[in-house]
Amino acid sequence: MVSLPSGAPPAPPTKRKEIYKYDAPWTLYAMNWSVRPDKRFRLALGSFVEEYNNKVQIVSLDEDTSEFVCKSTFDHPYPCTKIMWIPDSKGVFPDLLATSGDYLRIWRAGENETRPECLLNNNKNSDFCAPLTSFDWNEVDPNLLGTSSIDTTCTIWGLETGQVLGHVNLVSGHVKTQLIAHDKEVYDIAFSRAGGGRDMFASVGADGSVRMFDLRHLEHSTIIYEDPVHHPLLRLAWNKQDPNYLATMAMDGMEVIILDVRVPCTPVARLNNHRACVNGIAWAPHSSCHVCTAADDHQALIWDIQQMPRAIEDPILAYTAEGEINQIQWASTQPDWIAICYNNCLEILRV
């Protein structure tokens, strides 16, 4: 992921490439890795076209030819705000994919086609739907998903998936709970691994706060952090190994803030080497002290935060892309691969 010094000997020809690239037919935004053990280099990509008709593609790396192959393309209303595969690393659930946009949609991936499975709509008595800004799929209980919306609410959905071991039944969903999470739009939601990993989640929004909730005690929430000048917070991401830490970033901000839930309201670190606004944060799936950030300065930076609370001065690895990076995902089942999107390009980088 970091460039070789000049004069370094070329890699032997048998060595696997460090970077694979795929050019999509349109600008990319939403993107994520498949989690299934038998689909190692499979990703879903969402188009970003400013009109109703958008697309999602499923692409897979052919390891013999070193080329990405498009497995299926399907229509999607509006651009996806997020895309995620069911967090099923053992392959026991149906091969599902979820997207958020106007609604939360669940799709079933087949070998050559992906078809809609169900549409989850919380606005039964209204023609108006408040767009969903993001969602998260619970890793401990894949029958739980949470969505965040511009109408200030978060909704926790229960899914009836039926494991593959029995008969394959249709997937359906219902609202388990809906709550007003913030005073303004909610921009992101993420389940925490704390306390068993099923009931705790956090959200960020336009009011500039990070709030934590427990599904067992929804009557109150905890404010973990508030931006001093109430800048909207766009993203949050939990450390995959240590549930005490999470990262967030503000709209148009050039830094990523690391928070410790045990010391609310005071960032334990600020990662601020980017020279343009940050668009994405991805924690390492296998290490509690590594996090990757990506920004409009074309850079993806990997940081080692082991020294906290001492200041983290510089990233340990840097990759410069050919465009503004708007999406970054670290492969949970293959921790030596990171995926980025810029313009109409997907790149996967070996770290």
Side-chain angles (χ1 to χ4, degrees):
M1 190 168 174
V2 72
S3 50
L4 285 170
S6 56
T14 51
K15 188 172 184 295
R16 175 187 269 181
K17 281 165 58 173
E18 301 294 307
I19 300 173
Y20 296 92
K21 185 173 176 180
Y22 174 73
D23 288 309
W26 9 253
T27 303
L28 292 173
Y29 175 63
M31 170 271 288
N32 225 324
W33 294 88
S34 172
V35 182
R36 282 177 87 87
D38 57 337
K39 308 279 189 203
R40 276 175 25 98
F41 286 97
R42 181 176 68 164
L43 296 102
L45 311 171
S47 68
F48 186 83
V49 185
E50 293 190 30
E51 56 182 61
Y52 180 77
N53 298 315
N54 273 260
K55 302 279 186 188
V56 174
Q57 268 189 354
I58 313 291
V59 299
S60 188
L61 182 69
D62 182 323
E63 295 185 63
D64 297 328
T65 64
S66 296
E67 299 288 331
F68 273 106
V69 178
C70 176
K71 294 290 191 185
S72 69
T73 304
F74 57 93
D75 292 328
H76 194 278
Y78 304 105
C80 301
T81 52
K82 188 169 179 179
I83 205 160
M84 236 182 134
W85 297 83
I86 185 167
D88 174 22
S89 57
K90 296 189 174 63
V92 295
F93 287 92
D95 194 5
L96 301 177
L97 178 70
T99 58
S100 53
D102 50 353
Y103 302 108
L104 182 65
R105 288 178 162 82
I106 310 291
W107 312 80
R108 190 184 292 245
E111 201 42 56
N112 298 309
E113 67 157 359
T114 304
R115 55 183 180 77
E117 188 75 19
C118 64
L119 180 149
L120 304 180
N121 169 19
N122 204 10
N123 302 55
K124 294 285 188 283
N125 35 9
S126 161
D127 296 336
F128 168 79
C129 72
L132 300 177
T133 49
S134 187
F135 73 97
D136 194 24
W137 208 321
N138 192 297
E139 286 181 22
V140 172
D141 181 356
N143 290 308
L144 281 183
L145 295 98
T147 55
S148 56
S149 170
I150 63 165
D151 67 2
T152 77
T153 69
C154 289
T155 303
I156 305 298
W157 297 87
L159 219 54
E160 290 82 43
T161 55
Q163 299 200 355
V164 169
L165 310 170
H167 63 289
V168 176
N169 56 340
L170 280 177
V171 173
S172 59
H174 64 277
V175 175
K176 285 182 87 73
T177 186
Q178 183 181 32
L179 61 146
I180 293 172
H182 287 258
D183 305 327
K184 294 181 178 174
E185 296 94 334
V186 191
Y187 289 139
D188 203 5
I189 180 173
F191 286 104
S192 159
R193 291 194 176 185
R198 188 184 179 277
D199 296 296
M200 317 272 278
F201 66 93
S203 60
V204 292
D207 58 9
S209 69
V210 182
R211 302 191 184 200
M212 186 129 178
F213 300 87
D214 185 330
L215 288 174
R216 297 158 298 192
H217 310 287
L218 281 174
E219 59 279 0
H220 59 87
S221 63
T222 308
I223 293 182
I224 298 171
Y225 174 74
E226 283 189 288
D227 185 87
V229 288
H230 302 292
H231 275 141
L233 299 177
L234 294 187
R235 291 278 166 269
L236 86 154
W238 287 99
N239 186 309
K240 299 283 187 219
Q241 295 291 326
D242 185 339
N244 289 312
Y245 294 106
L246 73 159
T248 187
M249 64 193 214
M251 186 184 284
D252 301 326
M254 288 193 268
E255 67 175 7
V256 168
I257 294 162
I258 309 290
L259 303 168
D260 182 338
V261 294
R262 297 162 299 188
V263 192
C265 302
T266 311
V268 280
R270 293 176 182 274
L271 311 179
N272 50 17
N273 276 48
H274 283 291
R275 294 185 296 278
C277 71
V278 178
N279 297 318
I281 308 162
W283 288 93
H286 59 310
S287 154
S288 63
C289 53
H290 292 96
V291 64
C292 193
T293 59
D296 275 354
D297 60 5
H298 299 205
Q299 293 222 300
L301 305 178
I302 291 186
W303 308 80
D304 183 342
I305 59 166
Q306 225 166 342
Q307 303 304 316
M308 294 189 312
R310 291 224 310 272
I312 315 294
E313 298 293 344
D314 291 301
I316 55 168
L317 280 177
Y319 176 74
T320 305
E322 292 165 22
E324 299 177 349
I325 304 174
N326 63 23
Q327 188 65 255
I328 183 157
Q329 298 288 344
W330 204 318
S332 61
T333 52
Q334 301 173 89
D336 44 352
W337 290 95
I338 283 176
I340 60 169
C341 288
Y342 60 88
N343 303 330
N344 67 329
C345 295
L346 161 77
E347 283 186 353
I348 64 168
L349 317 168
R350 184 205 277 277
V351 288

